[in-house]
Amino acid sequence: MLLASGSMTAAVDRLEKLGLVVRKASPSDRRARVVELTVEGKRLAASCFEQHAKDLEALMSALSEKEMEQLYGSLKKLGLLAAEKLDEEQTRVRSSQERATK
């Protein structure tokens, strides 16, 4: 779910006008809206990710095998830390929501 305000709302408005996203009512919160990619939005996102992967692969070719292994290890470490922080934040938000509904 995406809580939009200000410039985020304007960005979602533009994406919606382009037919890339749709706003839907949240099933759990009537005040909130869920922003979902349309079929065209998913196609465009996939195409962008594919091009991004090709660009990264071309850039990575400048690194030695050892440098790529070091970079991979560092990125994996950062990714695991980010996932841990996200889990902590989601747990904190759920706890706060549970306390608010009691």
Side-chain angles (χ1 to χ4, degrees):
M1 182 169 27
L2 175 66
L3 300 177
S5 65
S7 62
M8 181 64 71
T9 299
V12 173
D13 287 345
R14 287 190 302 274
L15 293 170
E16 192 172 36
K17 285 178 186 173
L18 292 170
L20 301 175
V21 300
V22 292
R23 288 181 171 103
K24 295 184 176 184
S26 169
S28 60
D29 184 349
R30 64 187 178 128
R31 299 166 297 171
R33 295 282 178 253
V34 176
V35 178
E36 291 183 5
L37 289 171
T38 62
V39 171
E40 180 62 18
K42 289 177 184 177
R43 187 201 62 72
L44 180 61
S47 172
C48 289
F49 281 119
E50 184 179 320
Q51 184 59 50
H52 180 66
K54 288 177 183 176
D55 293 343
L56 283 177
E57 190 174 318
L59 290 170
M60 293 289 285
S61 69
L63 300 177
S64 70
E65 187 68 32
K66 183 177 180 183
E67 289 170 325
M68 284 194 285
E69 288 173 11
Q70 290 171 333
L71 179 57
Y72 174 78
S74 296
L75 291 173
K76 184 174 181 180
K77 184 175 182 178
L78 288 173
L80 292 171
L81 179 60
E84 182 181 310
K85 295 293 183 186
L86 180 61
D87 286 344
E88 290 172 3
E89 178 65 17
Q90 289 174 337
T91 299
R92 187 188 63 75
V93 168
R94 279 193 297 273
S95 295
S96 176
Q97 289 171 340
E98 288 170 2
R99 285 193 300 272
T101 59
K102 289 182 181 180

